[in-house]
Amino acid sequence: MSKYEQEILNTVNTRGTVTVAEIAQLLDVSDQTIRRIVKPMEKRGELKKVHGALVSNQDTMDPPFLSRMQTNRSAKVAIANCVASLIEDGSSLAIDTGSTSGFVAQILRQKRNLSVVTNSAFIASTLSLIEGNRVFMAGTQLRNHDGAAFDRAAYDVIASLSVEYAILSASGVHPEMGFLGYEQCEVDMARSMIAISDRSIFAVDSSKFQIADKFPPIRLPKLRPNDIVVSEARPHQDFDALVGPHLVVADGVVAGKKAKLVR
C-alpha cells in the first residue's frame, strides 16, 4: 500500500466518511488524483466511494472511534493514567468525545462519586454504571461513527452545568496557532465545556505536536493560566512558549500516582 493510500485509508477509517475534496485538500493533490488512487482501493474492498465522498468499509462492530483508540494506544494509556491521577474522588468533569478521552474515562472508573457531563455515548456508558457517579448525557441525536452528540440539546445541557475540570482533546497543535480541530462542532463543544469549567486539561499525545505546512484549520480557545496539558512526551522546544508552564509529562505515570507540572 502506497503512502497516499495509507493516509487516505487512515483518514476515512478515523472520520467514517470524508469528501473527495476534503481529502484532496488534506494531501495537497487534485480531486482527480484522489479518484485515481482510490479506484483500486475500492476494488480491493478497503473503502467505498459514493457521490463524491469516501466511506469507511470497517466492520460495524469496529467503528472508527474504536479504531482511533488503537492508534498510539500506549501513549494514550499513559496520558489517561496521568489525567486520572490529577482527578480526586468527588470531582465534577466535562469530557469531550476524543479517543484519548475514552481512555481517560476507562481509568476514571477507579474513582468514586464523580459528576460527569459528556456528549459521548461511549464515555457516558463507561462511567454511568459506577456506584456513586452522576452522569449527564448531553444531546439526543448521536453520530453513527463515534456516538457523539452535537445537537442543540447537547449545548443546552452543557451550558446548564458547572464543573471543576474540562477534559479535552485536539486534532493537532501548532506552536503559534495553538490547539486545533478539524470539525467546527467539536471546537464549539470544547468552547462550551471550557466556559463551564474552572480548569481545562488537554490530553494530547506527542504525535499531535507537529511543525508542518498543513494542520487542522479551526482554533480552540487559548490556554488559561491554570490549564494543564498532558502528553506522554515533551514536545519539541518550539512548543515551549505555548505549553511550557502548563505541561505534565505522562511518561511512566501510573494510576494512583500524583502527577506534577513540569517547569
Side-chain angles (χ1 to χ4, degrees):
M1 182 175 288
S2 71
K3 179 181 177 181
Y4 276 161
E5 288 178 332
Q6 188 63 64
E7 291 184 11
I8 290 169
L9 189 60
N10 288 345
T11 302
V12 172
N13 284 343
T14 297
R15 298 176 62 178
T17 182
V18 61
T19 66
V20 171
E22 285 177 311
I23 199 71
Q25 183 178 18
L26 182 65
L27 298 182
D28 196 24
V29 297
S30 68
D31 291 9
Q32 188 60 40
T33 297
I34 295 298
R35 292 188 180 94
R36 177 178 55 79
I37 294 172
V38 302
K39 190 173 182 179
M41 296 176 69
E42 187 178 21
K43 288 182 178 179
R44 295 194 298 265
E46 294 166 351
L47 48 72
K48 291 184 290 188
K49 183 176 179 296
V50 292
H51 305 298
L54 307 178
V55 180
S56 174
N57 224 12
Q58 286 185 321
D59 189 277
T60 55
M61 295 303 292
D62 186 21
F65 177 76
L66 297 183
S67 177
R68 295 207 318 270
M69 289 187 71
Q70 300 307 312
T71 303
N72 296 327
R73 181 185 177 90
S74 61
K76 293 175 180 179
V77 170
I79 291 168
N81 279 319
C82 182
V83 171
S85 78
L86 298 168
I87 305 300
E88 304 285 351
D89 289 345
S91 295
S92 55
L93 317 165
I95 308 179
D96 75 1
T97 62
S99 57
T100 305
S101 298
F103 282 107
V104 172
Q106 291 177 322
I107 303 299
L108 286 175
R109 288 173 61 86
Q110 302 173 29
K111 303 292 182 176
R112 290 295 177 266
N113 302 318
L114 299 178
S115 294
V116 178
V117 61
T118 182
N119 64 322
S120 165
F122 176 86
I123 290 171
S125 62
T126 297
L127 293 172
S128 62
L129 298 180
I130 304 301
E131 185 176 357
N133 283 354
R134 292 195 307 159
V135 176
F136 300 87
M137 179 65 206
T140 56
Q141 183 176 2
L142 305 180
R143 298 194 302 197
N144 60 9
H145 69 273
D146 63 356
F150 293 95
D151 54 12
R152 183 67 262 166
Y155 293 98
D156 288 344
V157 170
I158 297 294
S160 70
L161 299 172
S162 180
V163 299
E164 296 168 86
Y165 300 97
I167 299 176
L168 306 170
S169 53
S171 299
V173 188
H174 186 276
E176 296 176 2
M177 306 292 285
F179 292 82
L180 305 166
Y182 283 111
E183 302 286 347
Q184 185 66 58
C185 62
E186 294 177 353
V187 173
D188 289 344
M189 182 58 68
R191 291 182 183 277
S192 297
M193 290 183 172
I194 289 170
I196 66 165
S197 69
D198 296 329
R199 164 179 272 187
S200 298
I201 301 177
F202 282 86
V204 185
D205 70 76
S206 60
S207 70
K208 304 293 179 61
F209 292 85
Q210 296 184 9
I211 304 171
D213 294 333
K214 293 187 177 298
F215 43 84
I218 309 172
R219 296 192 194 189
L220 277 77
K222 292 182 179 179
L223 294 171
R224 297 172 292 185
N226 66 336
D227 286 346
I228 297 172
V229 178
V230 179
S231 188
E232 90 288 358
R234 181 185 288 274
H236 187 274
Q237 62 183 10
D238 287 358
F239 292 91
D240 284 353
L242 176 69
V243 302
H246 308 272
L247 182 65
V248 172
V249 177
D251 188 27
V253 172
V254 297
K257 179 181 178 182
K258 197 72 172 179
K260 295 182 180 180
L261 284 172
V262 175
R263 298 297 185 184

